[in-house]
Amino acid sequence: MQKLLTLLLCVFALPLFAQTTLPSVQEVYKIFQNKCISCHDHASPEANLDLEGTGATELLRAQNVASKLVNFNPANAHALSNGYKRVYPGRADKSFLFKKINNGLEPSIPALNAQEGSTMPAYPSQALTDAEKEIVRQWILFGAKTTGSQFDKTLVETFYNVGGEKSFPNGPPPGPAPGEGFQLKMGPFFLAPDAEVEYYQKWEMNLPANGEVNGLDFKISPFSHHFLLYNFTGSGAASIPAGLRLDANHSQINLVAAVQEATELRLPNKTAFKWDNNIVLDFNSHYINYSLSQPYQCEAYINVYTQALGTAEQEMFATLLVNSNIPIPNNGDLITHTKPEFQFGADSLYIWGLMGHTHKYGRGYKVWKRLVNGQKGDLIYDASCPMGIPGCPTPWYDYQHIPIRYWEPSLPVKWSNGIIHEAKWVNEGPTSVNFGPTSDDEMMVLIAFYTEQPITVGANDPNPQWVEKQILVSPNPTSGNVTFTLPGGVESIRTFRLFNLTGQEVLHRTDISGQTFELDLSRLAPGVYFFDADGRRGKLERG
C-alpha cells in the first residue's frame, strides 16, 4: 500500500573550530607520504599500490592516488572475495585500505587474517597515529571525494591529541549473539563544542538472502536528538551519493523506524519488517554537543534481530505523519496546532505503536481517534503520561524523552475516519519559530507503526514485549530510601533518570537488575521529582 512519508530537511550549526583549508583527499595524501611511501612509491609499489602518484602539484598527485583507490578492486584475493574495495566510498568497514591500517582503532572491524597479509605500514616503518587513521577513515566515511573539505581535520586531531567526549566511552555496545542477527554502525563523525549536526548515510546491505527482521535495538547516546532508519524504494538509491551527507535528498523512500533515545523495538509475535537481500537503507542521525569545551565523537549502532523467512504472518510498516505548518510566536502563550490524518487507501489499519515528536518549546502531544463527523473521539495517546497511556494523575511532558505507546493486541483504526494529532508549545525564546530541523526550530511529527491485519495475542503466544504497567514506588512520599518495583515481565532497567521540577537531571543510574531496586534520596531537597526508567515514567515526592 502507499505509505505517507514527509521528509525532514537538515541544517547544522557552524562549529567553533576553524575547518582545514586543504581538500580532504590532500590531507590523506600527506599521511601516505609521511608513513607509507617507502613501500608504495611510484617506482616500485608493493601489491601494485602506488601511493606516491603523478601530477604537477600535490593536489593532482593526491587525486591520482585516489583514482587508484576509490572503487578499485584490491589485489588481495581474499579481500576481493569478501566484497572489499581498496576504498569503498562511505564504508570504512568494506575498505581494505582501512582494514590494513586499522590495527584496533575500530573494534568492530575484524583483525587481518593470514590470507590478508600484515598491517600497514609494515615494520620497521613508523605506525600511523590514531588521529592519522581517523583522518583516513573520515575521508572514506564522507564519500572519499577528490575535491573539497568534507570534515574538520583540526577537530579530529584535537579529539585524539587533547581529548574529547565519546558517545560510548566504554566501547561499542555488544551486537546480537551469533545466529540472532547482526550489528550496523553509523559514524563516527565529530562535532565541535556547542554545535549540532544532522547527517544522512546510504547503506547497501548485500544480504545473503531475503529475510525478516523481528527486532531493532537502537544504541544512541543522550547527546543524540533522534535516529531514523529508512529504506529506499525502486531506483531511489541510485541518485544518492555515498557517504555522510547533510542533504536528505529523498525521493523514493520509506520509513523503517524512528526513535529519539536509545530504544529497543521487539516486534509482536508473528510480525516482522521484510528486508530484501538487496535492500538499501538510509541512516539519519541528529547529534547535539552540549559540551562548551570538548569535541564530541558521534556514533550510532543498530542491532538487527532476524528470523527465518516465512516466520511472520504479516509485515510491520512505519510512517511519519507531519504537520509542517506550525507558526509559534514568541509571546509566552500556550500555542496549539492540530492536524487530522485519514484516507490512506486502506479500510482499516492496526496500530502497534505511536510516538510524538517536538523540540524544546513543546508542552504536550496527544492523539485521538477521529469520528466520522471529523471531531475528536477516544484519546489514545498522551506523551505527558508514562508509556504514553492517557489518564495519568500527574502529566509531565519531557520533549527529550517522549514515550512510545504500544498496543498488543493492536489498535484498529478505520482510516476513512482516521486520527487527530495535536501538539502544544510555549515559546519564550528570542524569536518566533516554525517547522524546522534544528533544536532552535520546532517540529510536529507523529511516528506510527502499524500492520494491515490485526495483531492478536493468543493463549499460546509469548507474553507481549511491552506490558502497560507502571513502576511501583514505595514509600511515596519518602524521607530517604525508596523502593522501585518493576512490572511483570521486566527484569532490568538500562537507564534510570530522576529530574526535579525544572527538568534538571539530579540522579542517573544504569544497568539496574532485579525485580526491585532501592535508591537513597535523603540528600535531595524536599520537593516533587519525576523519573524515567527506559520510557516508564512516574512521579515521587521527597518529604
Side-chain angles (χ1 to χ4, degrees):
M1 65 175 298
Q2 185 68 33
K3 294 179 284 296
L4 174 66
L5 184 63
T6 303
L7 304 176
L8 307 178
L9 301 177
C10 60
V11 298
F12 68 105
L14 293 175
L16 298 180
F17 291 19
Q19 289 198 3
T20 178
T21 56
L22 289 179
S24 299
V25 68
Q26 194 170 347
E27 297 288 4
V28 171
Y29 180 76
K30 285 178 174 292
I31 295 172
F32 292 159
Q33 304 318 293
N34 291 334
K35 299 290 180 73
C36 306
I37 205 66
S38 61
C39 295
H40 297 279
D41 61 358
H42 184 57
S44 55
E46 185 175 329
N48 200 31
L49 177 56
D50 175 10
L51 296 180
E52 183 178 4
T54 59
T57 66
E58 185 177 68
L59 177 57
L60 289 175
R61 292 192 293 275
Q63 292 171 334
N64 176 258
V65 168
S67 70
K68 301 171 184 177
L69 291 173
V70 179
N71 283 320
F72 203 98
N73 287 335
N76 184 280
H78 186 267
L80 181 63
S81 67
N82 282 283
Y84 282 85
K85 298 291 184 180
R86 281 179 170 172
V87 167
Y88 194 119
R91 298 285 296 274
D93 63 311
K94 300 187 73 173
S95 295
F96 193 51
L97 172 72
F98 183 74
K99 188 173 186 181
K100 295 283 279 187
I101 70 171
N102 179 38
N103 200 21
L105 178 70
E106 174 51 66
S108 67
I109 294 180
L112 293 165
N113 62 39
Q115 299 178 66
E116 293 175 326
S118 59
T119 60
M120 291 174 51
Y123 180 83
S125 297
Q126 186 179 5
L128 270 64
T129 66
D130 284 350
E132 289 172 328
K133 296 175 191 176
E134 190 62 73
I135 290 169
V136 176
R137 173 161 63 173
Q138 291 297 298
W139 174 63
I140 294 172
L141 290 178
F142 278 90
K145 297 178 176 63
T146 58
T147 59
S149 176
Q150 287 79 46
F151 63 93
D152 188 342
K153 170 178 171 282
T154 302
L155 192 62
V156 172
E157 292 175 330
T158 300
F159 177 84
Y160 281 98
N161 299 332
V162 180
E165 297 189 45
K166 298 181 178 181
S167 297
F168 296 90
N170 297 322
E180 289 189 355
F182 51 87
Q183 186 178 78
L184 304 174
K185 177 184 179 181
M186 183 179 184
F189 51 89
F190 293 84
L191 194 52
D194 195 29
E196 67 177 287
V197 71
E198 183 170 359
Y199 280 125
Y200 298 79
Q201 184 177 12
K202 179 173 70 173
W203 195 271
E204 302 97 337
M205 290 300 300
N206 298 316
L207 298 171
N210 297 345
E212 296 181 355
V213 173
N214 63 1
L216 293 167
D217 190 359
F218 294 91
K219 309 287 190 180
I220 56 179
S221 91
F223 282 24
S224 178
H225 184 58
H226 70 239
F227 189 95
L228 283 79
L229 183 64
Y230 303 93
N231 72 279
F232 289 100
T233 61
S235 59
S239 62
I240 303 300
L244 296 166
R245 68 185 197 278
L246 293 168
D247 183 10
N249 196 19
H250 288 161
S251 58
Q252 299 179 60
I253 203 159
N254 286 331
L255 178 71
V256 177
V259 300
Q260 58 186 49
E261 60 183 327
T263 302
E264 183 176 14
L265 296 177
R266 286 293 185 137
L267 272 59
N269 191 36
K270 301 177 183 177
T271 71
F273 297 116
K274 301 294 183 69
W275 286 13
D276 294 336
N277 67 307
N278 60 350
I279 189 173
V280 180
L281 303 174
D282 203 33
F283 302 154
N284 172 207
S285 179
H286 185 175
Y287 262 92
I288 302 171
N289 186 356
Y290 295 106
S291 171
L292 299 179
S293 60
Q294 292 189 306
Y296 196 75
Q297 184 195 58
C298 308
E299 295 182 325
Y301 295 82
I302 312 103
N303 287 347
V304 181
Y305 293 90
T306 59
Q307 62 190 23
L309 188 65
T311 303
E313 295 180 357
Q314 56 178 313
E315 186 172 0
M316 181 68 71
F317 299 99
T319 190
L320 293 178
L321 305 173
V322 179
N323 185 4
S324 59
N325 184 21
I326 52 169
I328 306 168
N330 59 327
N331 55 14
D333 293 340
L334 186 66
I335 305 299
T336 302
H337 288 290
T338 304
K339 187 172 185 286
E341 308 282 358
F342 58 98
Q343 295 179 349
F344 284 98
D347 179 57
S348 291
L349 297 179
Y350 300 86
I351 295 176
W352 173 58
L354 288 177
M355 181 182 73
H357 181 77
T358 70
H359 290 174
K360 62 186 178 184
Y361 297 125
R363 295 296 184 269
Y365 209 120
K366 294 182 178 181
V367 182
W368 293 263
K369 282 189 174 183
R370 182 176 178 271
L371 301 177
V372 68
N373 63 2
Q375 300 300 307
K376 295 174 181 176
D378 294 337
L379 178 64
I380 59 175
Y381 174 81
D382 187 346
S384 298
C385 289
M387 299 184 70
I389 304 170
C392 59
T394 55
W396 175 60
Y397 184 80
D398 178 3
Y399 82 96
Q400 291 182 309
H401 304 97
I402 298 176
I404 303 177
R405 183 181 183 184
Y406 300 91
W407 285 267
E408 293 186 31
S410 54
L411 176 71
V413 173
K414 187 174 180 63
W415 276 123
S416 57
N417 295 346
I419 60 175
I420 296 172
H421 55 131
E422 178 179 280
K424 297 178 182 291
W425 301 262
V426 174
N427 180 2
E428 296 176 330
T431 61
S432 297
V433 300
N434 209 316
F435 187 92
T438 78
S439 58
D440 290 325
D441 299 308
E442 267 303 335
M443 281 194 175
M444 180 176 170
V445 177
L446 181 67
I447 295 95
F449 299 94
Y450 65 93
T451 59
E452 296 176 344
Q453 299 296 326
I455 301 172
T456 59
V457 181
N460 298 322
D461 290 343
N463 290 330
Q465 175 70 17
W466 304 100
V467 182
E468 295 187 341
K469 294 181 180 178
Q470 298 185 30
I471 293 177
L472 299 180
V473 183
S474 178
N476 190 10
T478 180
S479 59
N481 290 332
V482 60
T483 299
F484 296 83
T485 303
L486 305 182
V490 181
E491 298 179 352
S492 65
I493 294 294
R494 291 192 301 272
T495 304
F496 178 93
R497 299 182 179 96
L498 188 67
F499 303 88
N500 61 22
L501 279 174
T502 67
Q504 178 185 11
E505 184 177 277
V506 297
L507 182 66
H508 186 109
R509 287 277 303 274
T510 57
D511 300 326
I512 297 172
S513 299
Q515 197 69 35
T516 64
F517 61 95
E518 292 187 357
L519 294 177
D520 182 4
L521 307 182
S522 59
R523 295 184 179 181
L524 295 179
V528 175
Y529 294 86
F530 300 93
F531 66 83
D532 182 295
D534 289 350
R536 293 173 173 86
R537 306 163 75 190
K539 172 187 173 184
L540 62 88
E541 184 175 351
R542 163 75 168 87

